[in-house]
Amino acid sequence: MMVPAQYWSRRGVLASVGAFGLTACGRKNDPAKPEAKAADKAGSKTIEAAVAGDWRSPADRARDVWRHPVESLKFWGLAPGQTVVEFWPGAGWYTDILAPYLADTKGKLYEAVLQTNDPSDPAAAEIVEGYRRKLTEKKRVYGDVTFTAFGPTSGPVAPAGTADLVLFLRNLHNWMAGGIAEKAFKDALAALKPGGVLGIEEHRGEPGKVQDVLAADGYVQQDYVIQMAKEAGFVLAGTSEINANPKDTKDHPFGVWTLPPTRLSAPRGEPAEPGFDHAKYDAIGESDRMTLKFVKPK
């Protein structure tokens, strides 16, 4: 079924990547600058070294306190030499960690980017192209990344049964909005080896409430995600509070996007409200998130 572009691309990814997304995608390091040369030569044979890499932007580094990349990747079991699939990487926040690490440990990275086959949505194609360019222009940092796609009519995200780890990083709400969440789980299961891991980070909704199947506010209940995964054939292997934020009240005027880093001050698609007071939401910080680990049965 073809899903309208306003749901699965513009409504989700473009809002999530936001104003900083295109800038990040188009970010270029001047090879003549010392910091670019250092980044090219830096080793990334541990997760900690990859997180500390000079190629990561200051803005991305500032979010480590909320996203806990070292702890999260260790929880999901990232290890040297693995084959990893990242769904919808956006501007590449996690790619800047995964790609150098896997390149330096003789692993393999598949990036299942946003499927962009809708000519009426050129902004989505621009994001994907900027992201591809960022990785291909600095292969000494990122290695040989393989690009696939995920969307309503996409094919395999990686060769069947080859992946050790598949990652869904703050995207399930987008796929629920577009009616392709079940396909995401199905495609992930197909890509994984028996015993392979599906790692999920997602904005966590208030437990006990009726889940909006379109996740219009960006929040998804943890039990709902676990049920979706189990129905797809996965087994829950662990939960973590690594990315929890008890300050998040989850009742914000513009959904989860009221909070940093998006900081909406008006409904999506409308001009920002100049007098909007962000202080309350900035004090909360980024969203409360579930961190889940599933395994494909052997």
Side-chain angles (χ1 to χ4, degrees):
M1 179 184 69
M2 179 58 67
V3 180
Q6 67 266 30
Y7 282 118
W8 67 273
S9 60
R10 186 173 299 279
R11 181 187 185 280
V13 171
L14 299 190
S16 299
V17 175
F20 60 89
L22 291 174
T23 302
C25 280
R27 195 166 54 229
K28 293 184 178 180
N29 292 326
D30 183 349
K33 292 182 178 180
E35 61 268 26
K37 292 181 180 179
D40 282 345
K41 295 178 181 179
S44 307
K45 292 187 178 180
T46 66
I47 297 173
E48 291 85 353
V51 169
D54 292 342
W55 52 88
R56 298 185 67 217
S57 73
D60 283 355
R61 289 169 176 270
R63 298 184 63 205
D64 289 353
V65 67
W66 300 110
R67 302 201 69 177
H68 307 97
V70 172
E71 298 87 347
S72 297
L73 290 169
K74 288 186 174 182
F75 173 72
W76 292 319
L78 179 66
Q82 284 188 333
T83 295
V84 178
V85 182
E86 182 185 11
F87 276 59
W88 278 18
W93 195 94
Y94 253 108
T95 312
D96 277 355
I97 300 168
L98 291 167
Y101 173 79
L102 292 170
D104 275 6
T105 63
K106 302 187 185 304
K108 179 65 180 175
L109 180 60
Y110 289 89
E111 289 293 349
V113 300
L114 170 70
Q115 185 183 21
T116 55
N117 55 2
D118 184 350
S120 69
D121 200 6
E126 184 181 353
I127 287 176
V128 171
E129 178 54 32
Y131 173 78
R132 286 176 179 266
R133 187 169 58 248
K134 166 186 167 177
L135 269 60
T136 56
E137 288 181 352
K138 287 187 68 72
K139 286 193 174 183
R140 285 196 291 174
V141 173
Y142 298 113
D144 290 315
V145 175
T146 298
F147 299 98
T148 57
F150 173 69
T153 60
S154 60
V157 295
T162 62
D164 298 287
L165 176 63
V166 170
L167 295 172
F168 292 175
L169 303 172
R170 302 189 318 129
N171 269 313
L172 266 176
H173 57 283
N174 293 320
W175 303 332
M176 289 170 64
I180 55 175
E182 290 183 3
K183 185 177 186 297
F185 282 105
K186 178 181 177 182
D187 289 359
L189 191 73
L192 283 166
K193 300 173 180 177
V197 171
L198 170 63
I200 297 179
E201 176 194 359
E202 180 57 90
H203 309 298
R204 179 164 48 191
E206 196 67 31
K209 291 187 176 180
V210 176
Q211 176 66 53
D212 171 16
V213 296
L214 296 180
D217 63 359
Y219 288 98
V220 188
Q221 291 181 31
Q222 183 164 314
D223 287 347
Y224 192 86
V225 175
I226 292 172
Q227 185 61 33
M228 282 195 290
K230 287 182 176 179
E231 289 176 355
F234 286 98
V235 175
L236 179 65
T239 66
S240 174
E241 293 301 299
I242 295 168
N243 296 303
N245 180 2
K247 293 182 180 180
D248 185 3
T249 56
K250 309 171 187 183
D251 58 355
H252 318 306
F254 312 112
V256 71
W257 303 284
T258 314
L259 299 176
T262 307
R263 303 178 78 240
L264 284 186
S265 61
R268 189 178 294 112
E270 296 184 11
E273 181 183 323
F276 186 82
D277 186 2
H278 287 282
K280 170 184 175 182
Y281 307 103
D282 290 346
I284 291 172
E286 295 197 17
S287 67
D288 176 47
R289 294 165 190 159
M290 67 186 87
T291 307
L292 308 176
K293 179 179 180 179
F294 296 93
V295 173
K296 177 178 178 176
K298 292 184 179 180

